[in-house]
């Protein structure tokens, strides 16, 4: 997407947002591409403050990254939303166009796909999803383009089960729901996507099969998770949360600067260094 010639600022908004690696990644990309004068910051903004914050931005702004709890709250403030974002009712990227319009997109979904492609995962016959939160719906959207067969979602409640079935119907994914008590069975799938909070999958580490497929664990801190470590020890391919964060940020950077290609490795290295310093 084109941006205004004078647009130089961007930022990530959320609450809390102090932990976000987005400024590290985007500023590393700007430096590697020689985009002097561009800055990327972070601002703690909640749902109530979001409309006023966006309305107050001037023509220096290229775009915004949105994290929780703003991915849905930003939608009413937009002039246009991409099909990808509409599919999961979540926007993580706001770009200000040359004519002043506010356009919304979701780079988490293509970011997941790009991260898997980077590790050689192009298509799978079946998959399993651990968890049923907002990231799980993005995972289903990504799997709608990668998985040719059924997806089993392991959840803790009937309400979550209903939500995942609903997302499956909406996204055209054949979703079967299973109880979290049986989550160890998920690990036999050729692709396992773990979307749960830190510590949730620790107990599954002992159940990793002798010949595991690919694990996509969306966490990046702490890293590796116990499940990811056990998976790697058994020789399975592991895709981590930093991989997702980098690839979705690459797509954001392209949209906010109008410059391509964006240096993936410069962003990944900056992210690894920042995490190592924490």
């Amino acid at each position: 997407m084109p941006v205004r010639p004078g647009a130089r600022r961007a930022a990530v908004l959320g609450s809390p947002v102090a932990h976000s690696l987005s400024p590290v990644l985007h500023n590393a990309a700007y430096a590697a591409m020689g985009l002097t004068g561009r800055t990327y910051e972070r601002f703690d903004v909640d749902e109530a403050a979001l409309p006023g914050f966006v309305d107050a931005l001037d023509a220096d702004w290229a775009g915004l990254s949105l994290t929780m709890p703003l991915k849905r709250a930003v939608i009413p403030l937009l002039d246009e939303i991409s099909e990808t974002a509409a599919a999961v009712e979540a926007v993580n990227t706001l770009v200000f166009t040359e004519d002043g319009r506010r356009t919304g997109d979701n780079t988490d979904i293509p970011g997941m796909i790009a991260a898997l492609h980077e590790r050689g995962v192009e298509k799978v016959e079946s998959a399993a999803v651990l968890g049923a939160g907002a990231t799980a719906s993005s995972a289903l959207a990504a799997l709608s383009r990668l998985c040719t067969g059924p997806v089993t979602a392991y959840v803790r409640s009937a309400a979550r089960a209903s939500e995942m079935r609903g997302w499956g119907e909406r996204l055209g994914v054949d979703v079967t729901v299973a109880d979290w008590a049986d989550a160890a069975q998920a690990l036999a799938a050729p692709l396992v996507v773990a979307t749960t909070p830190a510590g949730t999958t620790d107990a599954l580490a002992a159940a990793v099969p002798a010949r595991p497929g690919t694990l996509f664990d969306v966490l990046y801190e702490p890293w590796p998770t116990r499940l990811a470590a056990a998976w790697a020890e058994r020789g399975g391919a592991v895709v981590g949360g930093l991989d997702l964060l980098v690839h979705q940020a690459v797509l954001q950077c392209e949209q906010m600067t109008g410059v391509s290609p964006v240096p993936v490795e410069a962003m990944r290295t900056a992210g690894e260094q920042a995490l190592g310093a924490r």
Side-chain angles (χ1 to χ4, degrees):
M1 289 183 190
V3 298
R4 303 183 190 117
R8 300 295 183 209
R9 299 183 68 185
V12 58
L13 310 184
S15 187
V17 79
H19 67 286
S20 175
L21 284 179
S22 292
V24 171
L25 302 183
H26 284 257
N27 285 317
Y30 296 164
M33 292 189 291
L35 298 178
T36 58
R38 285 189 178 267
T39 61
Y40 187 103
E41 307 160 82
R42 65 166 67 89
F43 294 94
D44 196 297
V45 177
D46 61 17
E47 293 172 273
L50 181 62
F53 185 96
V54 174
D55 287 344
L57 300 182
D58 60 24
D60 289 339
W61 284 82
L64 299 169
S65 304
L66 293 309
T67 186
M68 297 305 290
L70 305 179
K71 293 184 179 183
R72 185 167 293 178
V74 74
I75 294 176
L77 309 180
L78 303 174
D79 297 303
E80 181 182 344
I81 183 174
S82 71
E83 291 184 7
T84 301
V88 292
E89 298 180 352
V91 166
N92 76 331
T93 308
L94 189 166
V95 173
F96 299 100
T97 64
E98 288 180 339
D99 59 3
R101 291 171 60 80
R102 302 168 179 173
T103 65
D105 194 11
N106 186 308
T107 64
D108 286 331
I109 296 165
M112 285 185 173
I113 294 170
L116 286 164
H117 283 179
E118 186 178 48
R119 302 301 173 86
V121 180
E122 301 284 342
K123 291 289 182 181
V124 291
E125 295 181 355
S126 63
V129 175
L130 300 175
T135 306
S137 62
S138 292
L140 285 181
L143 289 171
S144 72
R145 307 177 193 181
L146 292 168
C147 186
T148 59
V151 175
T152 305
Y154 292 81
V155 302
R156 291 186 181 278
S157 70
R160 290 296 196 183
S162 178
E163 288 177 9
M164 290 299 281
R165 289 192 191 96
W167 281 116
E169 292 176 3
R170 179 169 182 168
L171 296 166
V173 180
D174 180 10
V175 175
T176 299
V177 179
D179 191 274
W180 183 262
D182 298 321
Q185 296 177 13
L187 308 188
L191 173 61
V192 180
V193 185
T195 70
T196 53
T200 307
T201 62
D202 286 356
L204 298 177
V208 175
R211 295 182 179 180
T214 299
L215 171 68
F216 193 159
D217 195 324
V218 303
L219 292 173
Y220 62 83
E221 192 175 23
W223 188 260
T225 62
R226 291 185 185 177
L227 179 60
W231 202 274
E233 287 174 2
R234 291 294 181 96
V238 177
V239 184
L242 182 60
D243 299 309
L244 168 59
L245 195 63
V246 167
H247 280 287
Q248 65 83 27
V250 164
L251 298 170
Q252 288 185 333
C253 195
E254 288 179 348
Q255 293 190 26
M256 293 181 191
T257 67
V259 179
S260 182
V262 174
V264 176
E265 289 310 314
M267 298 175 83
R268 194 195 315 273
T269 298
E272 289 172 346
Q273 290 175 344
L275 288 173
R278 290 184 176 181

